[in-house]
């Protein structure tokens, strides 16, 4: 579902939160790990929320547009976590058990200024995710 960029934000904020959107938000609020679409799907099944995988994908995209959910890509997989009330941060994921830890810091501020100086771009986003072996899996 492609929409023109102009006016998209306005339309998006006007959208009401459907039951499905609320269920996904509630799930992400209860989880301490960013979830993939298929994990959201199976955990909603456990909660007896009637939903299919296509709807999960559509819902997380709407929630992303609304600025309520953040997408991150860890080891080639897209995951989603609540954005509301959370500061910008990065993640590290264990290659063995898949545990994800929030890194509550951003080391890229200086680099961002340098990039802006060199390119005359205004930088408003970046991604930086780590992978490795957690203490239990070393
Ligand atoms: Zn591990
Ligand atoms: Zn996080
Ligand atoms: Zn950062």
């Amino acid at each position: 579902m492609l929409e023109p960029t102009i006016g998209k934000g306005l339309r998006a904020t006007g959208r009401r939160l459907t039951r499905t959107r609320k269920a996904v938000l509630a799930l992400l609020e209860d989880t301490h790990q960013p979830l993939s679409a298929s994990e959201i799907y199976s955990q909603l099944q456990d909660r007896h929320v009637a939903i299919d995988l296509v709807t999960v994908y559509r819902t997380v995209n709407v929630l992303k547009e609304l600025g309520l959910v953040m997408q991150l890509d860890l080891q080639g997989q897209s995951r989603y976590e609540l954005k509301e009330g959370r500061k910008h941060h990065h993640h590290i994921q264990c290659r063995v058990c898949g545990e994800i830890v929030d890194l509550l810091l951003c080391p890229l501020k200086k680099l961002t200024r340098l990039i802006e100086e060199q390119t005359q771009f205004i930088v408003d986003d970046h991604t930086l995710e780590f992978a490795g072996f957690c203490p239990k899996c070393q």
Side-chain angles (χ1 to χ4, degrees), residues 34 70 72 81 86 89-91 102:
M70 188 173 86
L72 45 129
E81 72 176 355
R86 304 222 50 199
H89 63 280
H90 297 276
H91 301 89
D102 279 342

Side-chain angles (χ1 to χ4, degrees), residues 20-51:
T20 309
R21 289 172 201 165
K22 276 186 196 151
V24 171
L25 284 176
L27 176 66
L28 289 175
E29 211 172 319
D30 294 344
T31 333
H32 299 291
Q33 299 263 296
L35 300 177
S36 68
S38 57
E39 284 167 353
I40 291 170
Y41 169 71
S42 67
Q43 293 198 27
L44 286 179
Q45 300 278 304
D46 294 346
R47 291 179 172 205
H48 308 290
V49 177
I51 195 168

Side-chain angles (χ1 to χ4, degrees), residues 68-116:
L68 299 173
V69 160
M70 188 173 86
Q71 180 181 334
L72 45 129
D73 294 296
L74 290 168
Q75 299 184 65
Q77 188 178 42
S78 294
R79 293 179 168 276
Y80 304 89
E81 72 176 355
L82 273 195
K83 189 176 178 180
E84 224 188 344
R86 304 222 50 199
K87 276 170 89 175
H88 168 82
H89 63 280
H90 297 276
H91 301 89
I92 186 165
Q93 183 175 36
C94 176
R95 291 188 187 279
V96 181
C97 68
E99 191 192 348
I100 299 162
V101 176
D102 279 342
L103 305 171
L104 299 172
L105 52 89
C106 178
L108 296 182
K109 288 186 181 110
K110 234 176 156 174
L111 181 63
T112 299
R113 276 201 300 277
L114 201 68
I115 290 167
E116 286 183 334

